[in-house]
Amino acid sequence: MPSRPKIHQPDDRFFRHAMSKPEVAKRYIEHFYPDIARITDLGSLKLESSLSIQPNLREFQADVIYRCRLQQDGEKHLYFCLLLEHKSQPEKYVSVQVGLYVMELMLRSVKEAGRELELVLPIIFYNGKEKWQPLTLAELFAGHPQLGLL
């Protein structure tokens, strides 16, 4: 029997495929993040391009990005971006990676005509075997000798 070709990063591919379906993302947010679901208009979820080219010509690609309206009264709607990033193993500097994605999305929002700076809410989906809590930027710099110079 011929062997099947090995799929590179199958968990990541499955996550991207599933979460790229607005109905799946909506149900996921409603179930696991009810506080976010309460303040957003999940009916307005719109999948955004997760690929752009940075000035140094390197690709920037987050896993899944949605743009969504916040619930509010009145005619003006506030939008925010929901950044979904998958990790199957702990990564010490994931907050730096996700921070880069957040800044790229904020820059994208202000470069588009007529848009204000938009909040970006990153969510890390972790399905690894060991328990893991990503370090914050403050935790990464804790005890750094240069902090005394600031």
Side-chain angles (χ1 to χ4, degrees):
M1 177 176 236
S3 65
R4 292 183 179 166
K6 185 174 178 164
I7 298 173
H8 182 66
Q9 298 178 320
D11 290 351
D12 194 52
R13 287 176 183 251
F14 174 79
F15 176 82
R16 284 181 194 213
H17 177 74
M19 294 308 261
S20 292
K21 299 178 184 308
E23 193 57 36
V24 172
K26 179 180 174 184
R27 296 288 178 236
Y28 176 79
I29 295 164
E30 288 171 339
H31 183 76
F32 291 103
Y33 299 96
D35 290 340
I36 294 172
R38 234 182 330 279
I39 64 168
T40 59
D41 173 7
L42 291 176
S44 72
L45 273 180
K46 180 178 178 264
L47 191 61
E48 295 280 309
S49 169
S50 63
L51 181 66
S52 69
I53 304 298
Q54 296 176 342
N56 61 2
L57 300 180
R58 293 192 53 193
E59 277 188 0
F60 151 81
Q61 184 166 10
D63 285 344
V64 180
I65 301 168
Y66 281 98
R67 191 163 179 249
C68 183
R69 286 192 311 248
L70 291 172
Q71 294 278 17
Q72 71 176 49
D73 295 329
E75 292 183 22
K76 186 174 182 181
H77 292 283
L78 297 175
Y79 284 85
F80 78 101
C81 285
L82 184 62
L83 167 69
L84 300 166
E85 180 70 21
H86 169 260
K87 294 294 175 196
S88 58
Q89 60 188 15
E91 292 183 20
K92 182 175 182 179
Y93 297 108
V94 70
S95 59
V96 176
Q97 175 193 3
V98 170
L100 176 64
Y101 295 166
V102 167
M103 290 299 149
E104 175 73 21
L105 288 168
M106 287 181 170
L107 182 61
R108 186 189 302 181
S109 76
V110 298
K111 282 189 167 189
E112 290 188 25
R115 281 175 60 183
E116 296 291 323
L117 181 64
E118 294 178 351
L119 175 68
V120 177
L121 178 62
I123 295 175
I124 298 173
F125 178 87
Y126 173 68
N127 71 327
K129 292 182 172 125
E130 59 189 270
K131 188 173 178 151
W132 174 57
Q133 179 66 40
L135 297 173
T136 65
L137 289 175
E139 290 167 335
L140 287 172
F141 282 104
H144 196 282
Q146 276 31 14
L147 288 178
L149 300 175
L150 300 177

